């Protein structure tokens, strides 16, 4: 057996495992299970390339899309049987099927990525897309970032390969006037997909824009890492009872009154102290003789 044949065979096995896992999850809900089986059969006959979707962390993106479309069966506005299918790529297949089942109006193809999203906010994002496809403006939805009309316009013209969160972040940054090099640097950090604390991060973006002549694109990522760590990331503390969590070191950190020089100094000191024995020892102690 050639290498390419083994690769195809391995992908088929991963696909079968993903289908089996989805069936197991839906076994307790007969109606949703039946809808998943219907979608599965329809996709096999009318959009076979959907099953060419990649497998990431054990999850088959095409099967995940069918799984979530079945879970949202109450939002379907057209019968599965009326879908004509497509011989396009797996992404286009998901977009076409999702549009047929749930969309009253045309929406950008990149929004179909919500159907194979597996994060905790996946269902919320799917609800946003459904609401938008029924006529709601995207900026009117309960989003984690405040969206202006200009941001919405940029967002709705995002490239097909972008996920929903990177598209939102990109639109926010470009609408604010962020230089392209800075925008790309931000999208290479966790904040491309983590849209929490939108109001605070908006102040950081305005700081970058105001000091664009003093900053280099290579400094953006490390500065974001520093700010995220001291303001939002909970600390892992090693104690005699095992690892515990504590609040971030500077939860009230803000950009007011900061200069580029002071931010770079704080960032460098933080990077220098990372992983040192001193920083670990500062958060360890011996057991108290009193009751916990």
């Amino acid at each position: 057996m050639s290498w390419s044949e083994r690769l195809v065979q391995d992908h088929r096995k991963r696909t079968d495992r993903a289908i089996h896992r989805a069936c197991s999850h839906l076994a307790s809900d007969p109606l949703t299970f039946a809808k998943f089986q219907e979608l599965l059969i329809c996709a096999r006959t009318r959009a076979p390339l959907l099953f060419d979707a990649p497998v990431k962390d054990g999850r088959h993106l095409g099967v995940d899309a069918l799984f979530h479309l079945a879970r949202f069966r109450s939002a379907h506005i057209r019968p599965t049987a009326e879908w004509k299918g497509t011989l396009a790529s797996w992404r286009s297949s998901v977009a076409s099927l999702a549009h047929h089942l749930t969309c009253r109006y045309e929406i950008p193809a990149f929004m179909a990525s919500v159907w194979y999203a597996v994060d905790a906010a996946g269902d919320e994002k799917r609800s946003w897309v459904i609401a938008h496809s029924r006529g709601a403006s995207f900026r009117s939805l309960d989003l984690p970032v405040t969206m202006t009309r200009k941001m919405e316009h940029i967002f709705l013209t995002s490239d097909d390969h972008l996920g929903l969160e990177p598209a939102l972040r990109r639109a926010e940054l470009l609408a604010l006037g962020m230089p392209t090099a800075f925008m790309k640097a931000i999208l290479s950090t966790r904040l491309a997909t983590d849209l929490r604390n939108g109001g605070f991060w908006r102040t950081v973006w305005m700081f970058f824009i105001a000091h664009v002549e003093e900053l280099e694109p290579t400094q953006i990522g490390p500065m974001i890492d520093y700010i995220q760590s001291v303001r939002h990331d909970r600390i892992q503390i090693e104690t005699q009872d095992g690892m515990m969590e504590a609040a971030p070191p500077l939860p009230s950190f803000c950009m007011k009154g900061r200069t580029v020089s002071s931010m770079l100094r704080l960032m460098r000191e933080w990077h220098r102290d990372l992983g040192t024995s001193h920083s670990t020892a500062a958060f360890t102690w011996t057991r108290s003789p009193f009751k916990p």
Side-chain angles (χ1 to χ4, degrees):
M1 183 183 297
S2 67
W3 178 83
S4 60
E5 289 174 329
R6 286 197 300 270
L7 191 64
V8 170
Q9 189 177 69
D10 179 67
H11 190 270
R12 286 175 179 168
K13 289 180 180 178
R14 290 171 178 243
T15 303
D16 289 342
R17 284 196 292 268
I19 293 171
H20 177 75
R21 183 169 56 248
C23 288
S24 298
H25 281 305
L26 299 176
S28 60
D29 185 345
L31 292 178
T32 304
F33 180 85
K35 176 58 70 173
F36 176 71
Q37 292 290 331
E38 179 187 14
L39 293 173
L40 194 65
I41 293 171
C42 183
R44 285 196 184 281
T45 56
R46 302 183 189 180
L49 293 184
L50 183 145
F51 297 96
D52 288 346
V55 179
K56 295 183 177 180
D57 299 323
R59 308 196 69 90
H60 188 291
L61 302 189
V63 174
D64 276 358
L66 299 179
F67 173 79
H68 292 300
L69 283 167
R71 289 179 55 247
F72 274 73
R73 57 187 174 80
S74 62
H76 293 189
I77 59 175
R78 301 181 187 88
T80 305
E82 292 182 4
W83 182 49
K84 296 180 180 180
T86 177
L87 296 178
S89 68
W90 72 270
R91 289 182 189 273
S92 298
S93 298
V94 171
S96 174
L97 178 57
H99 182 273
H100 170 80
L101 293 174
T102 65
C103 299
R104 196 171 303 279
Y105 302 107
E106 290 289 336
I107 61 173
F110 77 88
M111 291 188 182
S113 64
V114 302
W115 292 107
Y116 43 85
V118 297
D119 56 283
D123 282 353
E124 185 178 29
K125 292 185 290 186
R126 288 182 267 273
S127 297
W128 293 342
V129 169
I130 290 172
H132 179 60
S133 75
R134 307 287 169 87
S137 67
F138 215 87
R139 68 180 184 279
S140 70
L141 304 175
D142 186 19
L143 304 173
V145 295
T146 302
M147 178 178 273
T148 65
R149 189 181 298 273
K150 183 177 182 180
M151 290 175 191
E152 182 179 39
H153 173 73
I154 297 172
F155 171 71
L156 295 177
T157 58
S158 298
D159 292 338
D160 291 352
H161 71 276
L162 281 179
L164 192 76
E165 295 95 332
L168 274 170
R169 183 67 81 197
R170 175 181 175 275
E172 176 192 25
L173 297 171
L174 291 178
L176 291 173
M178 189 73 70
T180 301
F182 283 24
M183 180 268 291
K184 291 181 178 179
I186 294 168
L187 291 183
S188 69
T189 72
R190 71 176 94 175
L191 295 185
T193 55
D194 186 350
L195 302 180
R196 295 172 296 174
N197 306 297
F200 167 75
W201 286 110
R202 184 70 59 86
T203 67
V204 178
W205 310 149
M206 298 311 296
F207 177 87
F208 289 163
I209 293 168
H211 298 91
V212 66
E213 299 297 332
E214 304 170 67
L215 286 164
E216 296 292 336
T218 54
Q219 295 170 328
I220 298 299
M223 195 174 292
I224 287 174
D225 289 342
Y226 162 70
I227 297 171
Q228 175 74 22
S229 178
V230 299
R231 194 181 196 274
H232 300 301
D233 287 351
R234 296 183 65 82
I235 301 172
Q236 295 291 324
I237 302 173
E238 185 178 359
T239 72
Q240 290 184 343
D241 295 323
M243 297 300 294
M244 298 178 62
E245 279 195 349
L250 300 172
S252 60
F253 181 93
C254 69
M255 300 305 294
K256 186 177 181 180
R258 306 284 179 182
T259 65
V260 171
S261 296
S262 67
M263 285 299 300
L264 291 176
R265 176 178 55 78
L266 291 170
M267 178 191 76
R268 288 164 182 153
E269 290 174 355
W270 174 76
H271 275 277
R272 186 171 59 247
D273 290 342
L274 278 180
T276 64
S277 58
H278 173 74
S279 61
T280 302
F283 297 104
T284 62
W285 57 85
T286 58
R287 181 187 294 273
S288 168
F290 301 102
K291 291 183 178 180

